[in-house]
């Protein structure tokens, strides 16, 4: 799966939205997802996120890659919640027949597992939906326009921007280890992989420290942070489509929470 903060250029409706609108959309909709307790409503939110994904003209292969990564996590959550969730309708008898039994799978536990799966997938899809359609520099400008100090905004966006760089360096280090006939990361057992991680982490940390030092020198040479206020080459202006999407996002978040509470 590719980085969750990469940028995919396009001219879609979602790409043209103001970064402030997309940030607010991410915050309020993610909050509403955690407040939804009805499985049908959670499934509806997931379908909306998938629809927005294709509306943004993002690659479907990335969506498939995200789902492949989430399958083991969803399976683990399903097993844990199905066994330990307190329910009253047993589906499978206790797996460990000791005393009153332990590990009984209930219908309520299974339904709650499905609800958690819908929530998780919707959340994971929504994050790249925003980051894939917004350049990092627009994120920084959006944060500043929302009142965040530009130093802090730069720190946040720089951290996001370094994620794909670190992923690329990790791949280079792993390939270098393969050239030295090190096959632990592909074919080794769990214990062998844990023992081999210093060979991966050490050069990655050293490279990150060198990069951070170079960035600090470059920022100091340009007097970054010397002024409390600063100007920008490109400015942001809220347009009618931005206000419409923002209002629609708020109404959508409120609507799913209300419907979920009514359905129970």
């Amino acid at each position: 799966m590719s980085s969750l903060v990469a940028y995919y250029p396009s001219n879609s409706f979602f790409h043209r939205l103001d970064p402030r609108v997309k940030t607010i959309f991410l915050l309020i909709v993610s909050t509403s997802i955690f407040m939804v307790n009805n499985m049908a409503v959670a499934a509806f939110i997931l379908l909306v996120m998938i629809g927005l994904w294709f509306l943004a003209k993002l690659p479907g292969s990335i969506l498939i890659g995200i789902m492949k990564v989430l399958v083991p996590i969803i399976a683990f959550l399903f097993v844990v919640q199905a066994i330990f969730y307190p329910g009253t309708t047993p589906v499978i008898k206790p797996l460990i027949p000791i005393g009153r039994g332990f590990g009984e799978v209930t219908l309520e536990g299974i339904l709650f597992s499905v609800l958690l799966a819908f929530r998780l997938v919707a959340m994971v899809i929504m994050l790249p939906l925003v980051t894939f359609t917004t350049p990092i520099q627009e994120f920084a400008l959006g944060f500043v326009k929302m009142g965040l100090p530009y130093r802090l905004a730069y720190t946040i966006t720089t951290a996001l921007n370094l994620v794909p760089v670190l992923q690329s360096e990790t791949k280079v280090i792993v390939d270098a280890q393969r050239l030295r006939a090190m096959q632990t990361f592909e074919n080794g057992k769990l214990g062998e992989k844990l023992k081999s991680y210093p060979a991966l982490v050490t050069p990655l940390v050293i490279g990150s420290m060198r990069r951070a030092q170079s960035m600090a020198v470059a920022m100091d040479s340009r007097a970054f942070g010397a002024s409390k206020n600063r100007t920008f080459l490109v400015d942001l202006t809220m347009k009618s489509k931005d206000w419409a999407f923002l209002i629609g996002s708020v109404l959508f978040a409120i609507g799913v929470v209300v419907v979920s509470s009514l359905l129970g």
Side-chain angles (χ1 to χ4, degrees):
M1 186 178 66
S2 62
S3 171
L4 293 179
V5 292
Y7 174 65
Y8 291 83
S10 181
N11 194 33
S12 69
F13 169 79
F14 218 85
H15 282 77
R16 296 194 301 270
L17 286 175
D18 192 287
R20 293 169 289 182
V21 173
K22 287 185 276 191
T23 302
I24 297 174
F25 161 79
L26 178 64
L27 294 175
I28 62 175
V29 176
S30 59
T31 303
S32 67
I33 290 176
F34 284 107
M35 298 176 65
V36 167
N37 293 317
N38 183 272
M39 186 169 59
V41 178
F44 173 72
I45 296 176
L46 175 58
L47 292 177
V48 171
M49 293 302 109
I50 295 175
L52 289 176
W53 182 281
F54 290 104
L55 179 64
K57 299 180 181 180
L58 294 174
S61 57
I62 297 179
L63 186 60
I64 296 175
I66 292 175
M67 293 304 302
K68 289 181 179 179
V69 173
L70 289 179
V71 165
I73 301 175
I74 292 174
F76 174 76
L77 289 175
F78 187 88
V79 172
V80 171
Q81 294 297 331
I83 294 176
F84 294 102
Y85 188 84
T88 58
T89 309
V91 176
I92 300 177
K93 295 181 179 180
L95 303 177
I96 303 176
I98 300 177
R100 295 183 179 180
F102 178 75
E104 181 180 67
V105 178
T106 62
L107 178 61
E108 291 81 4
I110 295 175
L111 294 178
F112 187 71
S113 301
V114 176
L115 174 62
L116 283 182
F118 286 154
R119 285 177 174 177
L120 176 63
V121 176
M123 284 287 298
V124 175
I125 290 178
M126 185 167 49
L127 175 60
L129 179 64
V130 174
T131 57
F132 284 1
T133 59
T134 311
I136 291 296
Q137 60 270 20
E138 289 188 11
F139 259 131
L141 182 55
F143 288 149
V144 173
K145 290 294 184 179
M146 293 173 68
L148 199 67
Y150 77 88
R151 302 176 191 175
L152 182 57
Y154 180 81
T155 302
I156 295 174
T157 53
T158 301
L160 292 175
N161 203 29
L162 286 177
V163 172
V165 176
L166 294 178
Q167 287 182 327
S168 178
E169 284 195 358
T170 301
K171 186 177 182 300
V172 171
I173 295 171
V174 171
D175 290 340
Q177 299 293 354
R178 288 175 181 171
L179 291 175
R180 295 171 175 81
M182 183 178 181
Q183 302 295 327
T184 307
F185 293 110
E186 292 80 15
N187 305 320
K189 298 180 180 179
L190 179 60
E192 296 175 346
K193 290 182 180 180
L194 293 176
K195 292 180 181 179
S196 302
Y197 268 108
L200 172 64
V201 175
T202 302
L204 186 64
V205 171
I206 293 176
S208 300
M209 294 175 65
R210 290 175 177 172
R211 182 179 296 102
Q213 185 177 21
S214 299
M215 290 179 61
V217 172
M219 292 169 65
D220 288 340
S221 64
R222 291 167 175 81
F224 180 82
S227 175
K228 294 183 179 180
N229 300 316
R230 56 161 297 169
T231 58
F232 299 93
L233 179 63
V234 180
D235 201 2
L236 295 176
T237 304
M238 291 284 289
K239 300 178 181 178
S240 56
K241 66 176 185 297
D242 299 314
W243 287 109
F245 186 83
L246 179 60
I247 295 172
S249 301
V250 174
L251 294 177
F252 174 78
I254 296 175
V256 294
V257 172
V258 171
V259 173
S260 175
S261 62
L262 292 176
L263 296 177

